[in-house]
Amino acid sequence: MAKDTVTVTNNATGQSVELPLYHGTHGPSVFDIRPMSKQLGLFTYDPGFVSTASCQSGITYIDGDEGILLYRGYPVEQLAEQSSYLEVCYLLLYGDLPSAEQMGEFQDMIMNHSMVHEGLRRFYSGFHHDAHPMAIMVGVVGALSAFYHDSLDIHDPQHREISAHRLIAKMPTIAADSYKYSIGQPFMYPDNSLGYVENYLRMMFATPSKPFEISPTVVRALELIMILHADHEQNASASTVRLASSSGANPFASISAGIGSLWGPAHGGANEAVIRMLETIESVEDVPKLVARAKDRNDKFRLMGFGHRIYKKYDPRARILRQAAHEVLAEIGAEQVPLFEIATELERIALEDEYFIERSLYPNVDFYSGIILKAIGIPLNMYTVIFTMARTVGWISQWMEMLDDPEYRIGRPRQLYVGEARRDYVPIDKR
Ligand code: ACO
């Protein structure tokens, strides 16, 4: 990193401090505010951390103005077209694309860890029969720490690697089991001879009583969604994982914290919210009413699947999935065509509307992933679970990077205290 400086002056006292300015490979430069609190006794104020780099990272790069997303330097468009989800996992975890031999070994390693302990399977029966699968995911993934005492030393690189492999390998099994439990069907064991995504779909949709068949279009569509959701730098859930694990917490507990964060409707819960919203619209003619509600300042309603904290021109993942949604609907999911027509009309009206243009509100990845997941028959309450499965590798890569960073320390944001000034305790009979 090149090093310049920025001078900050406190006009009230006239005191100044020189702060190091760092330039990354791409993106805005950052200045290091640590000397400021030491020398001027000042903190910065940045609710939502919108202007703060919490770490240095070499995993994912996003340029929200230009609609660019790179994993380890590779444009996501190229990976979506030419790579597989497991290859992207290798890339994110290890930093480079694998050779054929490395890829074979990695694939075998992941698939060989796909089963979960039988004791873990018994956890499911403790959940209420209509529990949301995400509630089950938070609990069961956290519970993995009770099964792998042999690999919880986060300071041991081998422990870290085996935990990473276990999490990636078991996530589809845990996800599919959470669905099977909710519909009362028997859990399916993984079939390690299948690809990662196909194996997940089999555990979701197969039953022991009939042969399983799945269309390659469905497998490819889900693989694409998985690739596009694999990492997204320091978003709410990745930051949650980093913050949780900065205390030294084990990876299973930390990833469980990330799952909790992802569940929120402003983050990973949005694709489910998109379909729920589209299903309230009876016909294309009703779309303008929904747009009017979204623009009404007195109505808290927002168009789900529109807007993004970072992408202000377009979301590159949305562009890829928009195309994929057309292909999927042309081949399968014909009964979803009316829903897609409503979505297309909503997109058209919103993209031409001043309100959305002024605020740079474009359809985001969730808008189209929701439509594709619906078309390939994924139940609504599993959408965020699929996002969880895809993002696990991103969280783990961020976690591993953090533990290798000599600058890493326990995360501890500061605050601007605006509560009562110091006051003395008044006994209850005198209040
Ligand atoms: N519909 C209508 N108006 C919107 C929308 C929307 N979807 N999103 C933002 N706005 C408006 C806000 O009301 C605000 O208007 P104002 O300036 O008149 O007050 C302005 O746009 C800016 O909104 P912010 O909330 O400040 O934007 P922010 O960048 O903080 O929020 C977010 C981004 C949370 C994604 C927001 O656009 C939203 O709630 N979208 C809907 C939920 C969604 O699709 N989430 C998925 C995100 S992508 C992901 O997690 C993979």
Side-chain angles (χ1 to χ4, degrees):
M1 279 190 294
K3 216 170 172 186
D4 293 314
T5 60
V6 162
T7 304
V8 171
T9 304
N10 179 349
N11 291 331
T13 63
Q15 280 178 306
S16 290
V17 62
E18 273 206 1
L19 304 175
L21 182 68
Y22 307 132
H23 309 293
T25 321
H26 295 301
S29 301
V30 301
F31 60 91
D32 183 344
I33 58 166
R34 287 173 293 183
M36 196 170 74
S37 57
K38 281 200 194 107
Q39 292 178 40
L40 302 186
L42 295 174
F43 296 141
T44 52
Y45 180 60
D46 185 16
F49 309 116
V50 287
S51 309
T52 299
S54 61
C55 60
Q56 32 179 310
S57 181
I59 302 172
T60 293
Y61 173 71
I62 302 171
D63 183 332
D65 294 328
E66 295 304 320
I68 292 170
L69 171 60
L70 310 177
Y71 292 162
R72 300 284 189 187
Y74 295 101
V76 75
E77 291 83 355
Q78 292 180 20
L79 295 168
E81 200 182 321
Q82 298 174 60
S83 189
S84 66
Y85 177 69
L86 267 194
E87 189 181 55
V88 167
C89 287
Y90 186 99
L91 173 68
L92 289 169
L93 276 179
Y94 297 107
D96 274 310
L97 287 170
S99 65
E101 193 188 343
Q102 286 168 328
M103 187 59 218
E105 281 170 14
F106 183 65
Q107 167 116 14
D108 288 349
M109 172 68 81
I110 296 298
M111 295 317 292
N112 280 328
H113 280 290
S114 60
M115 284 212 294
V116 295
H117 193 287
E118 287 296 310
L120 193 84
R121 290 185 143 211
R122 287 197 286 277
F123 271 55
Y124 287 82
S125 55
F127 286 99
H128 201 258
H129 64 90
D130 59 358
H132 194 290
M134 280 300 277
I136 299 180
M137 293 296 287
V138 172
V140 174
V141 172
L144 285 173
S145 28
F147 290 81
Y148 297 110
H149 300 285
D150 63 333
S151 58
L152 293 184
D153 180 1
I154 60 160
H155 302 294
D156 181 329
Q158 276 180 332
H159 282 208
R160 297 210 292 253
E161 191 171 33
I162 182 70
S163 296
H165 291 164
R166 280 176 174 151
L167 272 160
I168 295 169
K170 295 180 198 310
M171 208 51 95
T173 315
I174 295 171
D177 289 353
S178 74
Y179 174 61
K180 286 298 198 193
Y181 178 71
S182 74
I183 57 165
Q185 283 189 1
F187 294 171
M188 298 296 293
Y189 282 99
D191 177 346
N192 294 351
S193 67
L194 298 177
Y196 187 87
V197 171
E198 197 175 355
N199 179 44
Y200 164 71
L201 286 166
R202 183 184 155 275
M203 288 188 286
M204 269 287 288
F205 293 121
T207 60
S209 49
K210 63 172 195 257
F212 169 74
E213 275 175 35
I214 192 104
S215 135
T217 308
V218 172
V219 177
R220 181 61 197 149
L222 189 57
E223 181 115 25
L224 201 54
I225 289 177
M226 299 277 291
I227 291 173
L228 297 176
H229 286 80
D231 193 48
H232 213 229
E233 54 120 306
Q234 312 311 320
N235 53 77
S237 57
S239 300
T240 302
V241 171
R242 280 188 183 252
L243 194 58
S245 56
S246 73
S247 68
N250 74 66
F252 306 107
S254 304
I255 298 293
S256 166
I259 298 173
S261 167
L262 187 76
W263 193 2
H267 192 7
N271 50 13
E272 182 178 334
V274 167
I275 298 300
R276 290 194 194 283
M277 177 190 74
L278 292 177
E279 285 179 343
T280 65
I281 312 174
E282 280 181 13
S283 75
V284 168
E285 287 73 48
D286 295 330
V287 171
K289 280 189 236 154
L290 200 76
V291 175
R293 273 195 69 193
K295 290 159 59 177
D296 182 354
R297 287 194 167 272
N298 301 317
D299 191 334
K300 285 214 173 322
F301 172 76
R302 285 186 167 198
L303 279 190
M304 286 295 122
F306 279 77
H308 197 276
R309 174 57 68 77
I310 305 287
Y311 295 118
K312 297 301 177 196
K313 212 168 185 181
Y314 67 90
D315 179 340
R317 304 164 303 170
R319 188 172 273 186
I320 299 167
L321 287 188
R322 185 179 195 276
Q323 175 66 24
H326 280 284
E327 287 163 15
V328 166
L329 284 157
E331 226 181 298
I332 47 168
E335 70 276 17
Q336 300 308 333
V337 168
L339 191 88
F340 192 53
E341 277 168 2
I342 289 172
T344 310
E345 179 65 357
L346 184 60
E347 180 194 28
R348 190 189 67 76
I349 296 182
L351 288 180
E352 287 175 359
D353 193 295
E354 259 325 289
Y355 174 95
F356 291 88
I357 296 170
E358 264 172 24
R359 291 167 180 76
S360 300
L361 299 170
Y362 299 87
N364 57 44
V365 68
D366 296 300
F367 189 69
Y368 300 106
S369 67
I371 292 165
I372 294 177
L373 291 171
K374 176 93 180 154
I376 66 176
I378 302 287
L380 211 48
N381 62 2
M382 287 299 288
Y383 289 13
T384 319
V385 175
I386 286 180
F387 193 164
T388 302
M389 210 164 60
R391 186 54 62 82
T392 297
V393 68
W395 292 329
I396 295 169
S397 306
Q398 300 281 345
W399 167 72
M400 286 181 132
E401 183 182 64
M402 184 186 84
L403 293 177
D404 276 338
D405 184 348
E407 300 244 37
Y408 125 75
R409 49 204 301 203
I410 184 166
R412 177 53 170 96
R414 305 303 291 251
Q415 64 170 11
L416 174 67
Y417 176 69
V418 294
E420 296 289 345
R422 187 204 175 279
R423 50 184 173 165
D424 289 322
Y425 180 81
V426 180
I428 196 159
D429 56 335
K430 302 238 162 63
R431 280 173 227 160

